[in-house]
Every structure is written in C-alpha cells, then in structure tokens.
Amino acid sequence: MPYKQGKMKGLLTLAELKKLVVNHNKLSKISMPSAVKRDALIKLINKNGYRVDHTNNKLVKGGGVLKKPVQPVKKKVMFGEGKTKEIKETKKELKSRSKNVETIESNKKKNKQIRELLSQTKQAWADDDLDYVKEYNKLKNKKPLTTADKNKLKGLFVDIKEDYVDIEDGVIKDEMMEYPPMKKVLDGIKKLLKR
C-alpha cells in the first residue's frame, strides 16, 4: 500500500518498489543491489528507462533519464553546379571543428597584431625616433675611442636591444634581429667594441 499521510502520501514504499522491480526483472533484467535505499532505487529505475507510476502501482516505460540517441548534424557539401551531397557530422566532430575555427581566428588576430607591431617597430627604426643611428654614426666616426665612448656604445647596444628587439616578451625578436638596417648597426657596435 502507498504511503497514506505525510509528504510522501500516495507514493510507493521501499518494499513495494522492490516487489515491482523483482517482478519486472523477469522481463527486463534490471540488476538491483541488495542494500539499496528508496531514492537510489528510483534513480536506478529511471536510469534503466522506466519511471514509477505510484498511483497505478507499476513501472512504465519512458523514464526521466532516458538517453536519446545523438542525431548527427547534416552539412551540405557542394559538388560542381547545383549538385550537393549531405555528409553526417557527429556532435563531437562539430565541436572539434568549431574549436579549431576559434583557434584559427584567435591566431589570425594575434598574427595581425604581431605584424602591426613589427611594421611599427621597423618604421620607428627607419625614422630613428630615439636617435640611436645618429648616436652610432657619431661614435663610429671617432677614430680613437675612449673608455667613455666604449661605455656609451655598450649602453647604446643594450638600449637598442631593449627598445627594438625584446619587445612584447620577444615576440618579434627573430624578425628584428634579422632586420638589415638594425643588424648593420648592432654588428658595427660589436666591431667597434672589439677595437
């Protein structure tokens, strides 16, 4: 008999649920653990594709947690003029494809930013915004280099690397190190320091 009072009024008891499952097992083979609580048993019944009909005292097919088969997404692929063929794509493939598209898009943006940074840096070097080339040319034309001049050259070398090479955690380091006008100045500074 179902509960007659309280918050569970009209619902089947644990003994009745077990009896239903035992009788139903003859047909559907739901394996029931020996020491099970009422709520866990209802979950097990739902998991196996059934629900408890408390009023009619029976199990009904079509439980709350029935897993529906995954319907593949169809996408059309064009073959020549007007000829199309539908290809089925599972949810997993669709997710991975969309993730790949997002990654490619973020890389495009990042690469665009890097290209812009590289072109701005090269332009700043060409315009000699920080007067590094002018300072190098002054020191290069001095025949006897003093210790002060060598210290200036060392400082200039460090400043050029900090301001034009090690930008944005070295993102454009290789490109700037191979940039001919800058490479020429850096190599010239190294030669002057070896004298």
Side-chain angles (χ1 to χ4, degrees):
M1 292 291 290
Y3 291 103
K4 292 186 178 180
Q5 58 188 356
K7 66 176 184 178
M8 296 179 60
K9 183 179 178 182
L11 301 179
L12 296 176
T13 62
L14 176 61
E16 291 169 327
L17 285 171
K18 282 186 175 183
K19 185 178 174 184
L20 277 175
V21 171
V22 168
N23 288 330
H24 191 270
N25 275 348
K26 294 174 186 171
L27 297 173
S28 66
K29 302 290 183 200
I30 295 174
S31 59
M32 178 178 61
S34 58
V36 67
K37 294 190 177 182
R38 185 179 180 284
D39 292 337
L41 184 57
I42 291 175
K43 272 188 184 177
L44 178 70
I45 293 167
N46 285 342
K47 193 175 185 181
N48 282 288
Y50 295 89
R51 63 181 167 80
V52 180
D53 186 357
H54 295 280
T55 53
N56 295 327
N57 202 15
K58 62 182 177 180
L59 294 178
V60 182
K61 199 158 183 98
V65 199
L66 263 181
K67 289 187 177 179
K68 296 179 182 176
V70 175
Q71 291 290 329
V73 178
K74 294 178 181 177
K75 74 174 187 183
K76 291 183 178 179
V77 180
M78 297 299 289
F79 293 100
E81 292 180 23
K83 297 177 185 177
T84 61
K85 180 181 177 184
E86 289 185 350
I87 297 176
K88 292 183 178 181
E89 193 174 40
T90 63
K91 280 188 176 180
K92 190 175 182 181
E93 290 171 336
L94 184 65
K95 244 184 202 178
S96 68
R97 189 166 57 84
S98 64
K99 192 174 181 181
N100 288 343
V101 168
E102 289 171 5
T103 313
I104 290 168
E105 288 300 316
S106 67
N107 286 345
K108 278 183 187 175
K109 287 178 184 175
K110 193 184 279 185
N111 288 341
K112 186 177 179 184
Q113 291 170 346
I114 291 171
R115 283 195 307 271
E116 285 176 3
L117 178 66
L118 186 62
S119 67
Q120 288 172 0
T121 309
K122 286 181 179 179
Q123 186 62 44
W125 179 263
D127 295 343
D128 198 18
D129 288 344
L130 301 173
D131 295 330
Y132 290 150
V133 178
K134 188 188 284 185
E135 204 171 316
Y136 164 71
N137 287 333
K138 281 182 194 174
L139 294 169
K140 180 178 81 170
N141 293 332
K142 283 190 173 181
K143 289 297 175 188
L145 284 176
T146 62
T147 310
D149 292 336
K150 286 188 178 184
N151 288 338
K152 279 184 186 176
L153 279 171
K154 285 178 188 175
L156 183 63
F157 188 83
V158 170
D159 290 343
I160 289 172
K161 285 193 78 171
E162 283 178 1
D163 292 334
Y164 286 100
V165 177
D166 297 329
I167 301 170
E168 297 283 322
D169 299 326
V171 171
I172 58 169
K173 184 172 188 169
D174 296 336
E175 289 87 346
M176 286 310 292
M177 287 301 284
E178 295 303 315
Y179 181 54
M182 182 181 288
K183 191 175 182 183
K184 182 180 174 185
V185 171
L186 292 175
D187 290 344
I189 292 173
K190 286 179 190 173
K191 285 178 186 173
L192 288 172
L193 289 173
K194 285 182 183 177
R195 281 193 205 169

